[in-house]
Amino acid sequence: MSSNTRKDLANAIRALSMDAIQKANSGHPGMPMGMADLAEVLWNDFLQHNPSNPGWWNRDRFVVSNGHGSMLLYSLLHLTGYDLPMEQIKSFRQLHSITPGHPEYGLTPGVETTTGPLGQGLANAVGMALAEKLLGHQYNRPDHTIIDHSTYVFVGDGCIMEGISHEVCSLAGTHKLGKLIVLYDDNEISIDGDVKNWLTDDTPGRFEAYQWHVVPKVDGHDPQAIKAAIEEAKAVTDKPSLLCCQTVIGFGSPNLAGTSKTHGSPLGDDEIEATKANIGWKYGPFDIPQSVYDDWDAKAKGAERESAWQIQWAAYQRAYPELAVELKRRMAGALPEEWAERSATLIQEFQERADNIATRKSSLHALNAFGPMLPEMIGGSADLTGSNLTLWNDSKALTLDHPTGNYIYFGVREFGMSAMANGMALYGGFLPYVGTFLVFSDYARNAVRLSALMKTRVVYVFTHDSIGLGEDGPTHQPVEHLEALRLIPGMTLWRPCDLAETAVAWKAAIEHDGPTCLALTRQGVPQNLRSSDVLTDVAKGGYTLVDCDGAPEAILIATGSEVELAVNAATQLQAEGRKIRVVSMPCREIFDAQPVDYRDQVLPPHVTARVAIEAGVPHVWRGYTGPQGRVIGIDSFGESAPAPEVFAYFGLTVENIIKVTKEMI
């Protein structure tokens, strides 16, 4: 039997963290050193996981929301047997390593989500815990419980201070997420120093007001106290739990512990040597005794746990074969077998309709068509359900009385809603879509950005997409938002012009391996005529909607509600004998990814008379019009007036498009 103590095992985390950060000459040693004892107890006594299969469905989820302390997580993964060799620990924060400065989902085995923007990991975890509860209610049966695990989160003072923590923790209490356990690193230090000058909240009282179970004043360096606190939290099944763990940042450092100096800088060789002597660690840089590895190794225990679950899963498959097949498909992120054929048929049916409706209403029609095929769809809105039109016919509110619902009323929590959607997508088995006004994407932006970074399949339904709002004025009229979202690497934004394009956009979003933004109108727009071939081209992001005989003299490029203006302008110009083409470009990102031959076919390089029309900032469109082309857009904020008057004020009219086009040809 090993003679290692719990402190020895925790000190292995401290030593690896100090050494890796010192070698990188960059990083945050204070948190790993301060939370090492918490991590040791949680991972060795409670965490249900299998290092040999990080994707096991019924694993506990562990999220380090204070992601700057990434070396704590990397140390845990390395020590317990994940595929994270010492060479990667030594390459911490180096180019192309799988140990970046902050944890990144999809890069490092065992990392559940990308964290670092404080508070978002906590929000992701609330989404994961909600997903676990919902999936369990959907698929567990009285005689077969196959989804049953906890979600653990490490947070620091920064996560607690960020506003998103208020949004999601309030909602977690409302939904009574009893399997969510948060360990708060209450060390009273942030980057600027002692938090008493800017954080005087009664944090336990705050969380009790959210209907959480709170364990205050846990000695974060006493393994028995930590274990007792976690056991107490696990015994409370109808409330999420907050464990306020009093720790010392940089624990063990004789000269720097308890100060902000350990937060974001290497300790230095001399201080590391002094710290190791102080905590009784007798080994050199990156030297971990085999006995410590043996005591940390979780592969055998993890395999045993998963094997027991696999027996349960096999019995479930025999007892409920249809449910098992559906759950397996959902967890794999695959679409139903009938999806491709049925969705294509539905789009053709949409094209044959002559509806003159807002694209937000078109979006609802698409949800009503596609939703019945997709039990994994989970929707919601930030208190704008009736405006976003995100509640489709088979939507059922997810409440305590109806725990199998598929619609979440998030309240006015755009940021928290979006980060929770990321958590649900990461959990697996769900395809979240969430709604708000496009202008309020600013509130959600950092979570939307992380959707793109992590490639989570989340659909953002952003309605009221332009000055077409009219009287609500510039506070509610998005101008820069379309470009701001398009500029996020990996983001796909669709701005459809009618019912058919909206259906294609929804189909693309459902099939896309990553996030999608749908920018949808409040005002009605007409359905455009298209042949079957042209309808197929919609999915290419940009296509010729209206053409002329022979080579065009000018090309009008438009998106969304402005396509109607371009079509009407082209119709009048063609009546005058002009050869005009209209290109609808609902998704620039997808169009830009098409082969050069196709793009040149739609936008022939020799046609330099081009006009781009969009009710937003014009700058990037100049890349499509070229130096001789023109852009009709908006270089300022909007105005408060009826929508037709606002469009006229900014020159977004048929008459102005004709005038500008004639000036070029």
Side-chain angles (χ1 to χ4, degrees):
M1 180 179 293
S2 170
S3 61
N4 293 312
T5 66
R6 284 189 176 276
K7 284 294 182 184
D8 293 329
L9 302 184
N11 286 338
I13 297 173
R14 295 184 174 103
L16 277 178
S17 298
M18 288 188 291
D19 291 341
I21 291 165
Q22 186 63 34
K23 186 174 188 298
N25 196 29
S26 174
H28 301 76
M31 179 279 221
M33 296 169 71
M35 297 192 81
D37 296 306
L38 301 171
E40 188 277 321
V41 173
L42 176 63
W43 277 58
N44 282 324
D45 289 7
F46 295 98
L47 198 71
Q48 175 176 281
H49 66 118
N50 183 3
S52 299
N53 182 15
W56 172 33
W57 297 353
N58 205 44
R59 70 191 182 277
D60 288 337
R61 291 346 188 238
F62 175 69
V63 173
V64 178
S65 186
N66 44 349
H68 54 272
S70 57
M71 265 311 306
L72 176 137
L73 179 54
Y74 299 149
S75 297
L76 288 165
L77 296 172
H78 170 73
L79 291 167
T80 55
Y82 285 78
D83 186 14
L84 189 66
M86 183 64 82
E87 289 75 15
Q88 290 296 332
I89 301 294
K90 292 179 179 179
S91 297
F92 177 57
R93 287 186 165 229
Q94 304 308 300
L95 186 64
H96 302 315
S97 78
I98 61 171
T99 49
H102 292 81
E104 294 184 28
Y105 172 76
L107 184 65
T108 315
V111 170
E112 299 285 2
T113 181
T114 298
T115 57
L118 295 178
Q120 283 201 68
L122 173 58
N124 297 158
V126 172
M128 292 174 184
L130 187 60
E132 188 274 342
K133 183 177 182 180
L134 175 56
L135 202 69
H137 277 293
Q138 289 178 347
Y139 287 97
N140 288 343
R141 293 297 180 266
D143 53 339
H144 291 277
T145 301
I146 53 169
I147 303 296
D148 180 19
H149 64 82
S150 297
T151 300
Y152 297 99
V153 196
F154 276 11
V155 304
D157 287 310
C159 297
I160 293 295
M161 284 187 275
E162 284 286 358
I164 192 173
S165 72
H166 299 257
E167 295 183 24
V168 300
C169 292
S170 172
L171 203 57
T174 297
H175 283 280
K176 298 185 181 297
L177 301 180
K179 294 180 183 177
L180 174 65
I181 299 175
V182 176
L183 287 82
Y184 166 33
D185 186 24
D186 187 11
N187 61 30
E188 300 183 341
I189 295 292
S190 64
I191 294 175
D192 282 346
D194 192 329
V195 300
K196 67 183 179 183
N197 294 312
W198 50 85
L199 180 62
T200 57
D201 304 5
D202 175 7
T203 298
R206 172 188 151 196
F207 276 78
E208 286 172 349
Y210 292 153
Q211 306 302 309
W212 283 52
H213 171 70
V214 177
V215 184
K217 297 184 178 180
V218 178
D219 185 341
H221 300 298
D222 179 350
Q224 293 308 312
I226 298 166
K227 183 175 182 179
I230 297 174
E231 287 174 340
E232 179 181 334
K234 290 182 71 67
V236 177
T237 59
D238 61 346
K239 292 183 179 182
S241 292
L242 177 74
L243 313 185
C244 299
C245 303
Q246 297 180 318
T247 65
V248 177
I249 189 171
F251 180 87
S253 172
N255 300 302
L256 301 176
T259 73
S260 60
K261 293 180 181 179
T262 67
H263 172 84
S265 300
L267 299 184
D269 291 329
D270 291 343
E271 188 65 16
I272 289 175
E273 184 177 350
T275 301
K276 288 183 177 180
N278 190 40
I279 63 177
W281 188 260
K282 304 175 183 179
Y283 311 101
F286 303 104
D287 185 6
I288 304 294
Q290 186 60 48
S291 64
V292 172
Y293 274 123
D294 292 342
D295 287 346
W296 266 111
D297 192 343
K299 292 193 295 293
K301 185 191 295 184
E304 182 180 343
R305 283 174 167 165
E306 183 176 354
S307 178
W309 179 86
Q310 290 288 354
I311 293 172
Q312 293 177 299
W313 171 238
Y316 182 89
Q317 292 180 90
R318 291 191 296 271
Y320 303 101
E322 292 182 0
L323 285 177
V325 168
E326 182 180 82
L327 178 57
K328 188 173 182 180
R329 175 190 67 78
R330 285 177 58 171
M331 293 303 288
L335 292 169
E337 290 183 4
E338 72 273 16
W339 169 256
E341 181 178 353
R342 181 62 181 146
S343 61
T345 300
L346 288 168
I347 286 173
Q348 182 61 52
E349 292 174 1
F350 280 134
Q351 176 59 60
E352 294 167 2
R353 293 167 59 169
D355 299 27
N356 188 326
I357 57 176
T359 53
R360 62 171 175 158
K361 186 66 176 290
S362 298
S363 172
L364 179 58
H365 288 328
L367 279 169
N368 280 322
F370 297 147
M373 288 186 280
L374 301 167
E376 59 264 44
M377 289 193 77
I378 179 80
S381 172
D383 203 48
L384 289 169
T385 293
S387 295
N388 298 145
L389 301 183
T390 40
L391 192 74
W392 57 287
N393 289 344
D394 289 343
S395 294
K396 296 178 179 61
L398 177 62
T399 65
L400 297 177
D401 293 331
H402 298 91
T404 60
N406 61 356
Y407 193 84
I408 303 169
Y409 288 95
F410 284 98
V412 187
R413 299 180 175 99
E414 296 90 352
F415 192 7
M417 171 185 72
S418 303
M420 284 178 61
N422 278 336
M424 297 190 81
L426 290 166
Y427 181 88
F430 291 98
L431 197 173
Y433 68 93
V434 292
T436 187
F437 289 174
L438 178 58
V439 75
F440 299 140
S441 64
D442 282 343
Y443 282 130
R445 183 176 175 82
N446 204 268
V448 175
R449 181 178 187 268
L450 285 187
S451 294
L453 182 59
M454 294 190 285
K455 299 181 180 178
T456 56
R457 190 167 55 148
V458 177
V459 183
Y460 294 97
V461 181
F462 292 137
T463 68
H464 297 59
D465 72 341
S466 75
I467 56 172
L469 260 72
E471 292 87 346
D472 276 340
T475 61
H476 282 53
Q477 293 171 1
V479 174
E480 75 277 20
H481 299 74
L482 292 168
E483 285 305 338
L485 292 167
R486 286 171 176 144
L487 287 173
I488 298 175
M491 178 55 66
T492 299
L493 183 142
W494 285 83
R495 189 172 184 241
C497 73
D498 61 10
L499 175 59
E501 280 193 3
T502 305
V504 172
W506 259 110
K507 182 176 185 291
I510 289 166
E511 295 173 352
H512 182 47
D513 185 21
T516 301
C517 295
L518 304 180
L520 307 171
T521 68
R522 176 198 186 191
Q523 71 274 27
V525 289
Q527 177 82 309
N528 293 280
L529 297 175
R530 297 176 184 85
S531 66
S532 296
D533 290 342
V534 173
L535 183 61
T536 300
D537 285 342
V538 174
K540 297 176 182 176
Y543 64 100
T544 300
L545 175 61
V546 175
D547 212 353
C548 56
D549 294 330
E553 295 176 83
I555 300 175
L556 308 182
I557 311 167
T559 75
S561 53
E562 289 74 76
V563 171
E564 177 186 3
L565 301 177
V567 170
N568 290 340
T571 299
Q572 292 189 35
L573 286 166
Q574 288 178 347
E576 297 175 11
R578 297 293 189 177
K579 295 183 177 182
I580 307 297
R581 172 179 292 180
V582 176
V583 170
S584 177
M585 196 173 290
C587 185
R588 285 203 324 232
E589 297 77 29
I590 291 180
F591 177 75
D592 290 347
Q594 299 304 312
V596 173
D597 289 349
Y598 176 77
R599 285 182 280 140
D600 287 348
Q601 174 188 331
V602 175
L603 297 174
H606 67 275
V607 181
T608 58
R610 301 180 184 181
V611 184
I613 310 115
E614 185 172 71
V617 292
H619 314 297
V620 178
W621 282 108
R622 295 190 176 103
Y624 296 84
T625 62
Q628 299 179 51
R630 300 277 293 277
V631 181
I632 301 175
I634 303 175
D635 272 319
S636 66
F637 292 111
E639 294 286 342
S640 179
E645 295 180 25
V646 181
F647 273 96
Y649 176 78
F650 286 105
L652 288 156
T653 63
V654 172
E655 293 75 19
N656 191 45
I657 295 171
I658 291 173
K659 174 179 174 292
V660 170
T661 304
K662 285 183 174 180
E663 288 174 355
M664 289 190 298
I665 60 176

